């Protein structure tokens, strides 16, 4: 039976209005949404342990034979407690259940079951508390899906709904990739892939399914971007002629770097090149501090020399004001007028800006989202610039572009991205890269250390604090502990084994205690603040604010520290289990220090991470160029890390969430998705 993917979810049996409402909270409105609601993780029930080897506190599977019917007793709090005597060849185990009356008759004495749950162990006495269970057979699935759920609608219920479709053997999903592509790339069919991602029977199957679904996403993503671009290329263009920029060059306070010169030339020829029929669609990508602003200023200068107005849109009022202060004086010296338009300027000032834009008096307006409101109209808008490109969605950029005819567009991004990856993710843009820093910048000295240096590292942090500086300590993965025993979707690859699973679980446990130990045992005399993923944002802001004001010496964080945080006095960044992070992420983290006038350091801690991870960490010691780092990462680990780390940015750009591409470890697939998309793109 072919599934109607567009059917509303309430057409499924068992989905009434109340359930539909709950599903809506999860972003599920159609059958397709439901089937593409992928597990966030899996319970690894294939990790079967013996009773003798069971450790207190761990979550694992056991294959146990039931010895006798359950006994029941009332606890002091009035609950019914059932105890089921069971065991395997290595020892006896009591399986306990609370208030679950049906367990009285659920088990056959002498039969074997697979139990999955949390162990508690006191010496020889082993208990398994409220486990899930199923009659044992050789064909039990090793992996059970765990879904993003919502209050009142659990993962188990989501699984049941999805099962009602994918477990039917006659279910067929309409293929959404061209047949030619599926066969040339050796991809799974859509039906098989969706079934396998929900109910995998082997690791091989799950990795094939991820490949297929990631390909499908990237193909769709690239197709959207390309068709947007083709539409723009065929549209009107604000005509601009070559103009003399020597006055602008003379007014610059510094000699541009070679990279800046190259990018400025690219912008100049996009905007003024003879014979061009398409408007500029360009992204300037460069690390923080690489000098993107001057490129934007030049573009606005060129537009105004051609009699056009420009708009520079930035995500925050602070940034708008900063750009305004940097630009207004410079432009005034050429007799050009710059205006500021943000939500917080007075109504009177706003009105003046609106007028100056309509009558053409204003050459460049710098502002926030306030620029896209209906009140703003231009006399002749010829250039749109978006700083921090990822903070604006396609729709917002287009809303601003629509205020002119054939306006050129320049977007600026501070995320180093390899060109090949940019081709796919930002396929509607040409990409210029500023891969060079202005001279004289301090680099952050980076060192990779193992456990044997721990005391020295703590000593170094103390020294810095004694000199009045501050430090960051980042440790990964603590918030995952709530998901005890779960394997995230991305972590499941063919290389996955019970052994590395065990190691990962131990590491997570250690991380929780570590953060607390730092405050109480390692630096009890210093002012230590603690940020973690489960804090409310008001609590987070309070801690970050205290660190910014210098009221804390050390900020311990289990989440990636907000990119917006800027504490010039912080000079040390210690990253624990550094091999758990992607290199681009480490590079971004390291960018939190070295922002003031003090020498700054980044210490990457990792104990015997293996040869490949070691190579990565050593690269961080010698490489400060974000592009080289990103390139290396893409080659070695594929695009998944990058896509996951920049999930929000990418979603904003293309309006599509890449759910599965974040699990992709093969860069070649990415390029091929792009090439195929190019072939199948139609003008929208
Ligand atoms: P970003 O790329 O982060 O937007 P900016 O354009 O704000 O960087 O530049 C950061 C700082 O570096 C500014 O103070 C700017 O004046 C300065 N700067 C930019 N280019 C150069 C250069 N070629 N030589 C020296 N200083 C520069
Ligand atoms: Mg900038």
């Amino acid at each position: 039976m072919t599934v109607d993917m567009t059917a509303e979810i309430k057409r499924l049996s068992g989905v009434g209005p109340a359930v539909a409402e709950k599903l809506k909270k999860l972003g599920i409105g159609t059958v397709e949404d439901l089937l593409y609601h992928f597990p966030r993780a899996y319970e690894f029930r294939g990790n079967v342990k013996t009773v003798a080897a069971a450790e207190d506190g761990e979550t694992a599977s056991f294959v146990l034979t039931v010895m006798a019917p359950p006994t029941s007793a009332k606890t002091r709090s009035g609950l019914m407690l059932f105890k089921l005597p069971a065991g395997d060849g290595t020892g006896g185990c009591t399986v306990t259940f609370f208030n679950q009356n049906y367990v009285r008759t659920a088990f056959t004495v002498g039969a074997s079951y697979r139990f999955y749950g949390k162990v508690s162990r006191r010496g020889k006495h082993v208990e398994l508390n409220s486990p899930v269970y199923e009659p044992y057979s050789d064909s039990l699935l090793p992996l059970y899906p765990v879904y993003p759920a919502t209050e009142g609608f659990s993962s188990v219920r989501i699984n049941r709904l999805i099962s009602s479709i994918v477990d039917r053997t006659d279910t067929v999903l309409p293929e959404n990739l061209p047949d030619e592509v599926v066969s040339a790339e050796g991809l799974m069919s859509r039906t098989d892939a969706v079934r396998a991602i929900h109910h995998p029977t082997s690791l091989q199957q799950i990795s094939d399914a991820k490949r297929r679904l990631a390909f499908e996403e990237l193909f769709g993503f690239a197709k959207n971007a390309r068709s947007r671009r083709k539409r723009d290329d065929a549209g009107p263009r604000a005509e601009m002629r070559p103009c003399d920029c020597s006055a602008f060059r003379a007014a610059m306070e510094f000699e541009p770097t070679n990279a800046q010169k190259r990018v400025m030339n690219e912008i100049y020829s996009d905007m003024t090149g003879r014979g061009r029929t398409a408007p500029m669609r360009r992204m300037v990508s460069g690390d923080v501090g690489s000098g993107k602003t001057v490129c934007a200023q030049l573009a606005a200068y060129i537009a105004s020399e051609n009699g056009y107005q420009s708009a520079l849109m930035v995500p925050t009022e602070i940034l708008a004001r900063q750009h305004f202060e940097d630009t207004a004086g410079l432009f005034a010296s050429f007799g050009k007028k710059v205006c500021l338009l943000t939500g917080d300027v007075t109504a009177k000032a706003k009105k003046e800006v609106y007028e100056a834009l309509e009558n053409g008096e204003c050459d460049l307006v710098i502002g926030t989202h306030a620029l896209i409101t209906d009140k703003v109209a231009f006399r002749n808008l010829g250039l749109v610039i978006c700083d921090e490109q990822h903070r604006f969605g396609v729709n917002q950029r287009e809303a601003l572009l629509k205020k002119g005819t054939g306006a050129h567009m320049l977007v600026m991004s501070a995320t180093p991205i390899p060109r090949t990856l940019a081709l796919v993710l930002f396929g509607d843009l040409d990409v210029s890269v500023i891969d060079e820093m202005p001279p004289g910048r301090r680099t952050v000295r980076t060192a990779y250390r193992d456990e044997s240096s721990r005391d020295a590292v703590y000593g170094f942090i103390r020294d810095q604090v004694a000199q009045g500086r501050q430090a960051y300590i980042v440790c990964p993965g603590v918030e995952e502990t709530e998901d005890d025993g779960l394997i995230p979707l991305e972590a499941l690859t063919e290389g996955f084994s019970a052994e590395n699973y065990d190691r990962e679980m131990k590491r997570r446990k250690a991380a929780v205690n570590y953060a607390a130990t730092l405050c109480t045992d390692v630096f009890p005399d210093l002012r230590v603040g603690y940020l973690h993923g489960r804090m409310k944002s008001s609590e987070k802001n309070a801690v970050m604010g205290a660190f910014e004001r210098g009221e804390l010496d050390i900020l311990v964080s289990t989440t990636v520290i907000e990119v917006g945080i800027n504490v010039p006095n912080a000079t040390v960044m210690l990253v624990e289990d550094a091999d758990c992070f992607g290199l681009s992420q480490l590079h971004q983290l390291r960018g939190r220090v070295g922002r003031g006038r003090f020498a700054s350091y980044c210490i990457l801690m990792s104990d015997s991470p293996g040869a490949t991870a070691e190579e990565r960490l050593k690269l961080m010691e010698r490489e400060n160029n974000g592009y080289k780092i990103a390139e290396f990462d893409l080659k070695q680990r594929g695009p998944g890390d990058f896509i996951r780390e920049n999930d929000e940015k990418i979603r904003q750009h293309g309006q599509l969430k890449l759910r599965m591409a974040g699990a992709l470890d093969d860069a070649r697939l990415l390029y091929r998705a792009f090439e195929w998309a190019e072939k199948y793109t139609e003008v929208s």
Side-chain angles (χ1 to χ4, degrees):
M1 190 193 63
T2 302
V3 177
D4 177 2
M5 300 293 269
T6 59
E8 282 185 64
I9 196 72
K10 52 178 190 260
R11 302 238 321 260
L12 286 186
S13 76
V15 181
V19 169
E21 202 50 43
K22 299 234 159 83
L23 289 171
K24 204 165 126 200
K25 282 205 193 111
L26 292 166
I28 300 173
T30 63
V31 169
E32 174 161 327
D33 296 337
L34 177 70
L35 294 178
Y36 279 68
H37 190 70
F38 298 136
R40 63 183 169 84
Y42 299 86
E43 285 173 5
F44 185 35
R45 297 189 189 172
N47 183 26
V48 177
K49 289 248 170 153
T50 60
V51 172
E55 286 175 42
D56 189 43
E58 78 173 330
T59 302
S61 285
F62 299 86
V63 175
L64 305 175
T65 304
V66 171
M67 314 288 205
T71 61
S72 62
K74 226 184 190 104
T75 64
R76 239 175 285 155
S77 51
L79 297 175
M80 281 305 281
L81 170 65
F82 297 96
K83 292 188 169 187
L84 181 71
D88 61 14
T90 71
C93 173
T94 306
V95 184
T96 64
F97 297 95
F98 283 100
N99 266 13
Q100 286 157 282
N101 265 316
Y102 57 84
V103 304
R104 281 181 204 279
T105 54
F107 298 99
T108 308
V109 174
S112 293
Y113 298 82
R114 182 172 75 183
F115 294 90
Y116 174 82
K118 197 161 181 180
V119 174
S120 68
R121 172 170 212 129
R122 306 269 172 279
K124 284 225 165 349
H125 185 71
V126 178
E127 269 187 24
L128 206 50
N129 304 313
S130 305
V132 291
Y133 58 89
E134 58 238 315
Y136 180 70
S137 81
D138 286 342
S139 59
L140 284 179
L141 293 183
L143 296 158
Y144 265 70
V146 179
Y147 294 96
T150 183
E151 198 159 330
F153 207 76
S154 65
S155 169
V156 171
R157 290 182 72 185
I158 293 168
N159 189 20
R160 215 175 289 149
L161 265 186
I162 291 174
S163 299
S164 73
I165 303 173
V166 302
D167 287 357
R168 293 180 55 147
T169 49
D170 64 344
T171 286
V172 175
L173 309 188
E175 183 53 72
N176 59 350
L177 285 174
D179 291 343
E180 177 193 21
V181 176
V182 174
S183 70
E185 295 299 332
L187 298 173
M188 257 180 166
S189 72
R190 191 186 194 192
T191 308
D192 290 346
V194 168
R195 186 176 276 141
I197 206 71
H198 292 295
H199 295 163
T201 57
S202 69
L203 289 169
Q204 176 65 46
Q205 209 186 43
I206 212 166
S207 110
D208 289 347
K210 286 199 308 195
R211 212 176 110 85
R212 143 80 207 207
L213 294 166
F215 188 96
E216 179 184 314
E217 272 177 10
L218 292 167
F219 179 82
F221 199 84
K223 246 178 71 170
N224 270 359
R226 292 307 293 163
S227 74
R228 219 164 31 234
R229 178 59 183 266
K230 287 189 176 165
R231 179 203 62 199
D232 285 2
D233 281 356
R237 165 191 159 93
E239 198 50 48
M240 297 193 189
R241 293 174 191 288
C243 57
D244 183 3
C245 297
S246 54
F248 180 84
R249 283 290 294 269
M252 275 173 66
E253 284 163 14
F254 41 75
E255 175 63 17
T257 61
N258 286 328
Q260 282 171 314
K261 282 185 198 156
R262 193 183 61 235
V263 173
M264 286 157 97
N265 282 334
E266 285 165 344
I267 292 170
Y268 181 81
S269 57
D270 278 355
M271 292 177 73
T272 69
R274 287 184 209 282
R276 298 215 175 217
T277 56
M280 170 167 74
R281 290 288 177 266
R282 184 168 291 277
M283 169 194 274
V284 174
S285 156
D287 251 338
V288 173
S290 61
K292 295 183 289 294
T293 308
V294 70
C295 301
Q297 289 170 335
L298 173 76
Y301 182 88
I302 296 168
S304 108
E305 286 294 283
N306 274 282
Y308 284 100
Q309 295 171 296
S310 304
L312 166 57
M313 184 159 68
V314 301
T316 65
E317 284 164 6
I318 296 170
L319 205 51
R321 208 166 286 281
Q322 242 168 41
H323 276 307
F324 178 75
E325 278 157 17
D326 287 348
T327 310
L330 177 73
F331 273 45
S333 70
F334 309 120
K336 300 185 195 299
K337 185 176 168 68
V338 182
C339 296
L340 180 67
L341 185 66
T342 58
D344 64 347
V345 305
T346 62
K348 181 162 164 278
K350 270 187 200 146
K351 204 160 154 260
E352 281 168 18
V353 176
Y354 297 149
E355 277 167 21
L357 287 172
E358 276 200 75
N359 65 26
E361 197 187 308
C362 170
D363 297 286
L364 166 64
V365 62
I366 300 177
T368 54
H369 296 84
L371 290 173
I372 10 184
T373 53
D374 286 341
K375 296 208 178 95
V376 178
F378 292 81
R379 198 169 80 92
N380 61 345
L381 177 68
L383 170 69
V384 164
I385 309 170
C386 298
D387 196 5
E388 310 272 337
Q389 149 293 126
H390 62 271
R391 302 283 296 271
F392 301 100
V394 179
N395 291 343
Q396 292 170 317
R397 290 193 327 238
E398 302 214 329
L400 190 51
L401 280 168
K402 276 204 193 106
K403 293 181 185 283
T405 306
H408 300 272
M409 181 173 76
L410 189 66
V411 304
M412 301 194 283
S413 161
T415 311
I417 176 173
R419 182 178 291 279
T420 42
L421 198 50
L423 261 182
V424 181
L425 298 180
F426 307 109
D428 53 340
L429 303 171
D430 299 315
V431 180
S432 293
V433 169
I434 309 187
D435 50 3
E436 181 185 359
M437 285 299 211
R441 288 288 157 79
R442 246 182 224 292
T443 55
V444 177
R445 283 191 49 194
T446 302
Y448 153 47
R449 294 284 181 268
D450 64 16
E451 268 325 299
S452 67
S453 309
R454 185 165 288 284
D455 289 342
V457 168
Y458 287 154
F460 181 76
I461 292 176
R462 273 184 183 287
D463 270 2
Q464 290 285 310
V465 171
Q467 290 172 41
R469 304 287 81 76
Q470 290 163 281
Y472 295 100
I473 300 180
V474 178
C475 33
V478 178
E479 40 280 356
E480 258 82 59
T481 49
E482 276 201 325
D483 300 341
D484 218 1
L486 298 187
I487 315 157
L489 178 66
E490 308 84 57
L492 263 188
T493 61
E494 282 163 75
F496 178 84
S497 70
E499 206 173 289
N500 54 33
Y501 169 76
D502 273 354
R503 199 178 327 124
E504 175 59 25
M505 290 303 144
K506 285 215 179 83
R507 160 130 89 182
R508 284 187 197 174
K509 223 179 282 169
V512 191
N513 302 332
Y514 174 70
T517 312
L518 273 178
C519 309
T520 55
D521 298 3
V522 184
F523 300 114
D525 51 328
L526 302 182
R527 299 167 301 170
V528 181
Y530 182 29
L531 278 184
H532 60 79
R534 269 169 280 149
M535 280 164 104
K536 290 201 209 93
S537 66
S538 60
E539 294 170 327
K540 276 190 205 169
N541 288 339
V543 175
M544 274 193 303
F547 189 70
E548 276 173 311
R549 290 189 299 274
E551 293 158 18
L552 293 171
D553 302 309
I554 298 176
L555 182 63
V556 182
S557 171
T558 64
T559 50
V560 171
I561 297 163
E562 277 295 308
V563 178
I565 197 168
N566 183 19
V567 182
N569 190 46
T571 54
V572 194
M573 160 79 54
L574 167 61
V575 185
E576 296 286 349
D577 286 328
D579 55 291
C580 293
F581 292 93
L583 291 192
S584 303
Q585 210 173 7
L586 287 177
H587 183 66
Q588 298 256 341
L589 278 173
R590 167 165 81 175
R592 299 300 100 209
V593 295
R595 310 189 130 227
R597 57 200 164 87
F598 310 104
S600 295
Y601 308 88
C602 172
I603 304 157
L604 304 175
M605 273 287 209
S606 176
D607 227 25
S608 53
T612 356
E614 196 152 314
E615 191 191 350
R616 295 157 56 73
L617 296 174
K618 287 196 169 137
L619 177 89
M620 292 302 292
E621 287 188 316
R622 57 173 197 273
E623 190 55 79
N624 265 295
N625 183 322
Y627 289 88
K628 300 234 169 86
I629 290 170
E631 255 357 302
F632 178 90
D633 223 12
L634 181 64
K635 251 191 230 122
Q636 202 198 45
R637 301 232 297 190
D641 284 347
F642 184 91
I643 292 171
R644 270 202 311 285
E645 283 158 26
N646 294 286
D647 177 53
E648 180 60 19
K649 302 182 186 177
I650 294 165
R651 194 182 58 74
Q652 277 286 1
H653 182 84
Q655 283 187 304
L656 282 177
K657 196 168 159 53
L658 294 177
R659 278 177 286 208
M660 203 49 85
L664 197 61
D665 54 10
D666 179 5
R668 282 166 309 181
L669 199 64
L670 187 80
Y671 313 140
R672 288 204 301 273
F674 179 78
E675 282 161 19
W676 283 114
E678 188 70 17
K679 180 170 172 192
Y680 282 92
T681 299
E682 294 133 31
V683 181
S684 66

